[in-house]
Amino acid sequence: WDFLILFFCLPVVIFNEITKKRLLGDMSCRIVPFMEVSSLGVTTFSLCALGIDRFHAATSPQASTRPIEQCQSIIAKLAVIWVGSMTLSVPEILLWQLAQDTSPVSGGVTEFCTMKPSSNLPESIYSLVLTYQNARMWWYFGCYFCLPILFTVSCQLVTRRIRGTEKKSECRSTKHGQCESHLNCTIIALTIIYGLCTTPENVCNIVVAYMSPDMSKQTLDLLNLINQFFLFFKCSVTPVLLLCLCRPLGQAFMDCCCCCCEGCGPDTTSSEGSADSKLKTEMSSSIFFDKPRETPPPLLALGTPC
């Protein structure tokens, strides 16, 4: 979803700032806020899911022999996160619309997006969208800012409390304990980046809600541009941070890129190296589940029986 934000929303915003025209017209005024709010929801619920996964990994009686989570289960969780985030962002499509104004400096017509429900909506839907607009600021602050931060902090504190100081000192000497600490640091780093990038938007929303009559349109546009800049910065940093800190995911990404560059053709010289990388990836701990470390799976014989 971060890549979708960068590849679709970023060009639309840059085009609008340069030409003062909305690319794709009224559609972009509705789709861009929808995708941006959906991005916040995807990140929020993903951090909550990762916090629950780390809690289960810490409280499991036999973490080293924890069964591998099935692919269908992971896909189901991702579907719930994505569909839920997009469903909660549907009011953004009905809230925004395209407006035009004459510039006092150049005299040209400029297009901008305004937060105003269309009067052509049915009365029941119009009242719901209007209620959402009035509660939008606190909904942002509570669901997309406080929830992931408090959830991550709570899961980390409860995990450390359950493990205890003695158990933690014993686990740190083992490879499994080191990977558990590494994954916990990854989640904490993702939460810190998310909190730092969403703080300016929440502050601006609160300031605009109580001081908007005293602010000029240029100031409001500047604040909106700053909020979008931090959102694009988060979408740029999060994938890089995740690939760098999560070694199995980074290794899988590099293998996929190398496979695409080489055309996925059979290469006898690289078969042994790819088998070794697969073994290392299987023995490593993943963000979504813990794989067995005590008894790694045996390697299959490569080449002919001779």
Side-chain angles (χ1 to χ4, degrees):
W1 200 272
D2 290 333
F3 287 122
L4 290 177
I5 292 292
L6 295 177
F7 292 149
F8 180 79
C9 298
L10 182 58
V12 172
V13 173
I14 294 177
F15 183 84
N16 181 42
E17 291 299 322
I18 295 176
T19 64
K20 301 303 178 182
K21 299 290 184 181
R22 292 297 300 187
L23 189 64
L24 301 179
D26 186 68
M27 182 183 298
S28 65
C29 285
R30 301 176 186 273
I31 299 300
V32 170
F34 169 77
M35 294 185 64
E36 291 177 350
V37 176
S38 298
S39 174
L40 298 178
V42 169
T43 307
T44 295
F45 301 133
S46 296
L47 289 175
C48 294
L50 293 176
I52 294 175
D53 181 79
R54 291 296 91 208
F55 175 77
H56 284 300
T59 57
S60 179
Q62 295 179 348
S64 60
T65 60
R66 189 180 175 193
I68 299 175
E69 187 172 0
Q70 297 297 325
C71 182
Q72 292 81 358
S73 176
I74 298 177
I75 293 177
K77 292 179 181 179
L78 293 177
V80 170
I81 291 174
W82 279 48
V83 174
S85 301
M86 296 172 65
T87 303
L88 293 176
S89 305
V90 168
E92 295 289 332
I93 300 178
L94 305 176
L95 183 61
W96 295 86
Q97 60 179 332
L98 183 65
Q100 295 181 349
D101 191 12
T102 303
S103 176
V105 179
S106 61
V109 178
T110 60
E111 297 179 347
F112 62 94
C113 298
T114 179
M115 189 185 301
K116 181 180 179 182
S118 176
S119 57
N120 297 328
L121 294 174
E123 185 178 356
S124 58
I125 298 179
Y126 181 83
S127 61
L128 290 176
V129 175
L130 197 61
T131 302
Y132 172 81
Q133 180 182 1
N134 297 330
R136 186 173 182 268
M137 176 189 66
W138 296 113
W139 170 253
Y140 255 66
F141 181 74
C143 181
Y144 297 136
F145 181 77
C146 295
L147 179 63
I149 294 178
L150 294 178
F151 207 95
T152 303
V153 172
S154 300
C155 289
Q156 292 295 325
L157 292 177
V158 173
T159 299
R160 293 177 182 272
R161 179 69 176 177
I162 292 178
R163 282 183 176 178
T165 55
E166 297 181 357
K167 185 177 180 181
K168 187 189 302 184
S169 61
E170 294 176 359
C171 291
R172 280 182 178 176
S173 61
T174 63
K175 191 175 181 181
H176 179 75
Q178 293 176 358
C179 288
E180 287 294 322
S181 300
H182 184 77
L183 290 175
N184 289 332
C185 293
T186 301
I187 298 176
I188 293 176
L190 293 175
T191 306
I192 291 175
I193 292 295
Y194 178 75
L196 292 177
C197 293
T198 54
T199 297
E201 182 174 6
N202 287 277
V203 173
C204 290
N205 288 338
I206 296 176
V207 171
V208 169
Y210 292 101
M211 300 179 60
S212 57
D214 301 331
M215 292 184 176
S216 62
K217 184 178 180 300
Q218 290 76 11
T219 304
L220 296 177
D221 293 339
L222 179 61
L223 293 177
N224 185 33
L225 185 62
I226 292 175
N227 296 337
Q228 290 183 326
F229 168 77
F230 277 101
L231 177 63
F232 296 145
F233 178 77
K234 177 194 77 72
C235 294
S236 303
V237 172
T238 300
V240 177
L241 182 66
L242 191 60
L243 292 176
C244 293
L245 294 182
C246 182
R247 296 175 183 175
L249 182 61
Q251 183 63 38
F253 181 79
M254 294 303 298
D255 293 342
C256 182
C257 292
C258 294
C259 179
C260 294
C261 294
E262 296 175 0
C264 297
D267 189 1
T268 56
T269 59
S270 62
S271 61
E272 184 177 357
S274 61
D276 292 340
S277 64
K278 288 181 180 179
L279 177 61
K280 292 179 181 179
T281 304
E282 290 179 355
M283 294 177 61
S284 302
S285 177
S286 173
I287 276 189
F288 296 103
F289 49 81
D290 301 322
K291 294 191 175 182
R293 293 177 168 274
E294 302 295 335
T295 57
L299 280 174
L300 298 176
L302 299 178
T304 61
C306 299

